[in-house]
Amino acid sequence: MSAALPDSDQCAAPVTHIPGVGPGTALRLARLGIHTVRDLVRHFPLRYEETADALSREQQDGHSTAVQGTVCGPVSVRFSGRRCTVSVPLRIGTANVKALFFNQPYLRHQLLPDVSLRVRGKWNRVSGAFVVSAHEILRPGVAAAGLEPVYPLTDGLSSQALRRYIAFALRACGPGVHDGLPAELRTRFRLTGKAAALLAMHEPADPEALRQARRRIIFEEFLAFQLRLQNFRRRRGGWSQTALDGHVLAQGAQEFVERLPFALTPGQEAALAESLRDVAGAEPMHRMIQGDVGSGKTAVAFALCAALARIGWQSALMAPTGILATQHHQEAVRLLAPYGVRIGALTGDQPQQERDRVLQALRTGDIDLLIGTHALVSADVVFHRLRLVVVDEQHRFGVSTRRLLRGKGEWSDVLQLSATPIPRSLALTIYGDVEMSTMRDLPPGRTPVRTILVRKSEAGRVVRMLRRELAKGRQAFIVAPRIGDGEDDGGEMTGAVALHAQMQEELAGWQVALVHGAMASAERDAAMADFVAGRAGALVATSIVEVGVSVPNASVMVVHDAHRFGLATLHQLRGRVGRGAHASLCVLVGDPATRAARQRLQAMLETSDGFVLAEQDLLLRGPGEVMGSRQSGLPQFRVGDAVADLRVMTVARDIAAELLTNPDFWLLPAYEELRRAALAEDDDAFADS
Ligand code: ADP
Ligand code: MG
C-alpha cells in the first residue's frame, strides 16, 4: 500500500502493481474485464451470502453454504499417498463438528485453537463431517460480517485471491476516489460518499451499510444513464428529415406483402401500418416492435425495406451475432430478392475483397439493404442514401452503437425489434421517447412445445429422451448456466464445458458441438454452423444461444439448472424449438430451492405466452438470484437493475431532466463528472468514475 503514487495514478495503474498479481493472474483478471486497480474496485459482487453462525437444516441436507466457526481443539493431519486431509474440530453455534480440509497440510500451523474462520462447504452424512471447499480466517478482534460477497470468477482465479486483490485495491485508491456527485445532490438524497460506498460494497459491515452503498452506486449509474439518454434526445429535438409520400410508401409495402408466401397476422399488419406512417413523416422514427419469438417481426421490417428500396432509399439491418446476421441474410434473399431488393451483407470475417465490393456498391446506391453485425458501424461503411436502421434484439447494442449507425443517414429512422415485452411505462423510462408496436399473435401452424420439469437426480431420463430424439434424426440444444464449474457456488451449478464432455460420452455416435461466451468468435461460429447445418446432433451451450437463432430441425431444448435462469431467458430458450413441423419438448432440469424459483418454473409449465411470462418475470425477480439477466432485454448496469430498482430510476430520470435545463449544470465544476456522462459517446464512459 505504497503512497508513492498520487491517488489518481494508483487507480489507473495496471493490476500487476498489486502484490501477488503476476502476468498469469493479470491475464485471468483481464478475462473478467479487469485491467486496472480501479477495475478491481468496480468489480462488484454478484450477490452476498449470509454467513450463518449455526448449522441449519439446509446445510445438513447437503447444500453448500457458508458458516462461521471457531477452532475448538487440536488439529490432526492424515496423509495417504500424495493426498492429505486436515481434520479440524470446529464449534459452529452450539454444535461441535469435524471439518475436513483437503491437501492443505500447512493449515495445521494456522488453525490454532480459538481462531475464528468462515468456511464454505457441504455436510457429508457418510463421514459425519463438514467438507470445506473454501475458507477464510477472520482477523481477531474484528467482528465477522455476516455478509459474504460472491464475485464473478473465472477459471484459475479463486474467490479468496480475488478478494485479497480487491481489498488491496480499495485501500490503494479507495479514499482518493473523486466523488462524482455534487454535494448538493448527496445532501438532498442523503447519499453515502463514493469512497465509503465502494468499501461497503465489498466489505459490508452490516446489511444496512450495504443497502446504503448500493443505493448510492445505483443512483449514480442511473443518473449518468438518464443524462446521456435525455441529452441525446434534446439534441435530436430539432432534427428533421425529408418527408416521403405516405401513399407511395404504403403502396410499395403492400405489393411486397402480397408476394409473401403467407398472409400477415393482424399484429404484423398493425405494426407495419404504424411504422410506415412514422417513416413517411419528417420527424425521425424511434419505434420498437415487441413480439414474441417467432411472431414475425423481421417480415414487418422487410416490408419497410422493400417500400423504401422502391423509391431509392437504403436500409440497414443489424443483428447481434454473425449467425443471426447470416440467417437474416438468407431470409432476405428468400423474401426480398424476388421483389427486386438488392441485398448486401457485412460480417466480421468475410474476405477483404468481398467486403470492398459490398462497400463500393453501398456507396453508389447499388445495394438497397445492408445486413450485418456490429461491423455495420465501422467508419468505412458509407451509405448512398440511408433512411431506415433496423436493430434486431436491440438491447444487445448500446445507445452509442445505434446512434453511430443512425448518424450514417440524414437522421435515419430507427426501428428496434425486441422479443422481450416490457410495459410501456418502463420502456419510456429506460429508452426515452420510444413508440411501441406490440404484436400479440403468432403466425398459424406452429407446433406447441411441451414443457416438463425434471429433478437433477433424474438426469438419466433426460439422456434417454435425448437419444430417442436424435435417433429420429432430430437435434437438441443442451444449455448450462455457466461455462466452467466455478467455486463461487460451491460447484453446484453445471458448467457447459464439463457437460459437453459428459454428453460426448453419453451421446456417443453423434457429434456434440459446444459454444460459450469465452470461445473465440470464429470457433464459436464454426460450432454453431455445424449445428445449424445438422452435422452436430446436439449443441451444448451457455445461454448465448438464446438470441434468435433458428434451427427448425431441433426438437429438444434441455435447460440445466433451470431455476438459475430468469423467465425471460427461459422463454427465449424454449423459443429455439418448435420452429419446424416436429413435436417439440422443453426439459427444465433443476431443483428450485426458493419460492421465486419454483414459481418461475411453474409459470413456464403453465403458459407459453411471452407477455404473460414477461409480466410474471417482473413480479418474480429475485435480485441476484437470476442468471442470464443480460439477455433480459433491458439496459444493463454494474449494480442496479432497471426493473428491481425502478424507483431509483424514476428519480434519476426526473433529476436528469432538471439538471439538463439548469445553467449551473453546464458551468459549475461540481458537475463536471456528470456533465461528462451527459456528453459521453462511449457506452461505458459513464461507468468510468
Ligand atoms: P421473430 O423475428 O419475430 O422471432 P421471424 O420474423 O424470424 O420471427 O419469423 C419466424 C418465421 O416465421 C420466419 O421463417 C418467417 O418467414 C415466418 N413468418 C413470419 N410471418 C409469418 C406469417 N404471418 N405467417 C406465416 N409465417 C410467417
Ligand atoms: Mg428475429
Side-chain angles (χ1 to χ4, degrees):
M1 289 170 220
S2 99
L5 293 168
D7 285 328
S8 57
D9 291 350
Q10 299 241 35
C11 296
V15 284
T16 44
H17 280 218
I18 292 177
V21 179
T25 304
L27 274 181
R28 285 189 280 276
L29 288 171
R31 266 191 263 147
L32 295 169
I34 300 171
H35 306 279
T36 64
V37 174
R38 180 192 286 118
D39 293 338
L40 269 171
V41 172
R42 295 191 323 202
H43 188 68
F44 295 123
L46 282 174
R47 60 197 156 88
Y48 300 81
E49 274 194 1
E50 205 131 359
T51 307
D53 50 13
L55 279 176
S56 66
R57 238 194 73 74
E58 201 179 55
Q59 281 134 8
Q60 313 237 7
D61 280 351
H63 286 272
S64 166
T65 28
V67 288
Q68 190 183 315
T70 307
V71 180
C72 61
V75 169
S76 67
V77 186
R78 211 180 65 235
F79 289 90
S80 80
R82 286 169 57 201
R83 295 176 59 88
C84 137
T85 309
V86 178
S87 167
V88 182
L90 276 188
R91 178 154 46 250
I92 299 175
T94 52
N96 283 346
V97 303
K98 185 167 66 169
L100 299 180
F101 299 74
F102 294 117
N103 300 326
Q104 301 162 80
Y106 54 86
L107 283 178
R108 75 190 124 168
H109 306 299
Q110 296 178 359
L111 300 183
L112 304 173
D114 290 333
V115 164
S116 285
L117 67 167
R118 180 149 53 200
V119 290
R120 155 173 288 293
K122 285 185 194 179
W123 186 255
N124 185 317
R125 235 184 275 266
V126 183
S127 58
F130 191 78
V131 178
V132 177
S133 59
H135 74 278
E136 181 189 7
I137 294 177
L138 301 169
R139 270 171 291 164
V142 178
L147 292 170
E148 184 191 13
V150 179
Y151 289 100
L153 292 174
T154 181
D155 285 343
L157 183 72
S158 73
S159 70
Q160 290 103 300
L162 184 61
R163 278 155 73 166
R164 227 173 28 245
Y165 307 146
I166 290 175
F168 184 92
L170 276 169
R171 277 144 195 100
C173 80
V177 155
H178 180 65
D179 198 282
L181 285 182
E184 178 257 320
L185 283 179
R186 271 183 323 204
T187 320
R188 196 158 131 209
F189 294 100
R190 277 178 252 122
L191 296 166
T192 319
K194 175 92 160 229
L198 288 174
L199 186 64
M201 286 298 290
H202 295 287
E203 301 173 10
D206 53 58
E208 180 55 21
L210 176 61
R211 210 178 65 80
Q212 292 300 339
R214 279 179 53 88
R215 197 170 143 259
R216 149 76 208 226
I217 304 278
I218 294 172
F219 184 87
E220 187 172 346
E221 62 183 358
F222 283 4
L223 182 57
F225 170 77
Q226 286 291 340
L227 283 169
R228 201 161 57 116
L229 183 74
Q230 294 183 29
N231 193 42
F232 174 59
R233 299 264 170 264
R234 266 164 45 95
R235 286 189 290 174
R236 198 196 69 174
W239 305 339
S240 66
Q241 51 183 192
T242 319
L244 307 175
D245 185 330
H247 284 293
V248 173
L249 202 63
Q251 187 64 38
Q254 197 48 43
E255 278 168 30
F256 166 76
V257 167
E258 276 161 16
R259 279 163 168 260
L260 283 175
F262 46 77
L264 293 189
T265 63
Q268 285 173 310
E269 295 267 12
L272 178 57
E274 286 159 358
S275 327
L276 280 167
R277 205 185 50 217
D278 288 356
V279 169
E283 194 186 316
M285 168 169 81
H286 183 202
R287 179 171 289 278
M288 177 187 289
I289 298 186
Q290 296 190 333
D292 215 339
V293 189
S295 59
K297 298 180 290 290
T298 320
V300 175
F302 282 172
L304 292 172
C305 301
L308 285 168
R310 170 129 313 182
I311 53 173
W313 289 92
Q314 292 173 306
S315 306
L317 167 56
M318 186 160 69
T321 66
I323 298 278
L324 268 177
T326 307
Q327 289 197 342
H328 280 320
H329 186 230
Q330 288 162 352
E331 182 89 341
V333 167
R334 185 167 78 90
L335 299 177
L336 279 168
Y339 183 79
V341 176
R342 296 160 302 172
I343 301 155
L346 274 191
T347 51
D349 51 5
Q350 72 202 134
Q352 188 61 38
Q353 222 178 345
E354 193 184 324
R355 184 183 159 84
D356 288 344
R357 200 181 48 73
V358 171
L359 291 179
Q360 175 63 22
L362 194 65
R363 259 194 301 272
T364 53
D366 291 311
I367 284 179
D368 301 308
L369 169 61
L370 181 66
I371 298 177
T373 54
H374 195 270
L376 296 196
V377 299
S378 79
D380 58 351
V381 178
V382 180
F383 290 82
H384 174 62
R385 228 151 72 108
L386 176 65
R387 177 71 181 214
L388 173 67
V389 173
V390 182
V391 186
D392 192 11
E393 311 291 350
Q394 47 76 32
H395 53 277
R396 289 299 180 108
F397 305 104
V399 177
S400 68
T401 303
R402 269 173 273 155
R403 191 186 314 171
L404 272 173
L405 193 52
R406 158 176 252 161
K408 289 181 183 291
E410 178 220 352
W411 304 124
S412 320
D413 293 311
V414 173
L415 182 66
Q416 303 176 186
L417 308 182
S418 171
T420 313
I422 53 171
R424 187 177 152 77
S425 57
L426 179 59
L428 286 178
T429 304
I430 58 187
Y431 297 121
D433 55 353
V434 65
E435 300 292 329
M436 309 240 272
S437 298
T438 302
M439 311 199 311
R440 281 190 169 261
D441 33 16
L442 283 183
R446 297 280 150 93
T447 43
V449 181
R450 198 161 70 89
T451 304
I452 59 169
L453 181 60
V454 171
R455 302 242 147 232
K456 259 179 130 152
S457 53
E458 305 168 303
R461 245 180 88 195
V462 180
V463 173
R464 285 195 296 279
M465 275 186 272
L466 283 168
R467 285 217 197 96
R468 212 159 43 227
E469 287 297 307
L470 295 190
K472 282 193 252 169
R474 301 286 92 77
Q475 289 166 279
F477 289 99
I478 306 169
V479 173
R482 56 186 303 149
I483 299 170
D485 293 317
E487 62 168 47
D488 69 338
D489 60 3
E492 291 210 327
M493 269 194 276
T494 315
V497 173
L499 188 61
H500 177 240
Q502 187 193 333
M503 286 298 129
Q504 277 182 316
E505 251 171 55
E506 308 209 42
L507 302 176
W510 287 283
Q511 187 184 331
V512 181
L514 170 70
V515 299
H516 58 70
M519 284 164 74
S521 69
E523 204 187 336
R524 197 165 64 208
D525 282 0
M528 211 56 207
D530 276 345
F531 187 66
V532 172
R535 289 186 290 275
L539 176 72
V540 176
T542 50
S543 61
I544 60 171
V545 289
E546 180 202 338
V547 185
V549 57
S550 175
V551 182
N553 188 46
S555 64
V556 188
M557 167 61 71
V558 179
V559 186
H560 284 274
D561 295 309
H563 53 286
R564 303 305 292 256
F565 290 96
L567 265 179
T569 305
L570 287 175
H571 177 62
Q572 291 280 315
L573 287 171
R574 180 166 61 185
R576 297 303 107 220
V577 293
R579 307 198 125 215
H582 317 292
S584 299
L585 183 63
C586 173
V587 185
L588 306 175
V589 185
D591 300 319
T594 66
R595 215 173 92 112
R598 266 193 303 277
Q599 285 176 324
R600 280 199 302 273
L601 297 186
Q602 192 56 35
M604 284 295 291
L605 299 181
E606 280 168 10
T607 181
S608 57
D609 183 326
F611 286 86
V612 173
L613 290 172
E615 277 160 20
Q616 289 278 314
D617 196 30
L618 300 187
L619 291 175
L620 297 180
R621 257 165 191 253
E625 184 188 358
V626 172
M627 303 284 299
S629 66
R630 290 203 82 78
Q631 282 93 17
S632 66
L634 306 170
Q636 293 302 313
F637 301 91
R638 278 175 189 276
V639 180
D641 179 305
V643 174
D645 305 305
L646 186 59
R647 271 193 31 220
V648 184
M649 182 63 94
T650 313
V651 174
R653 182 194 60 199
D654 297 345
I655 299 301
E658 184 186 308
L659 287 175
L660 289 171
T661 52
N662 178 355
D664 284 355
F665 175 76
W666 296 103
L667 293 170
L668 297 187
Y671 293 98
E672 194 200 320
E673 210 151 305
L674 292 179
R675 222 162 30 233
R676 233 181 322 130
L679 297 169
E681 288 292 329
D682 178 2
D683 273 333
D684 216 36
F686 67 85
D688 217 52
S689 46

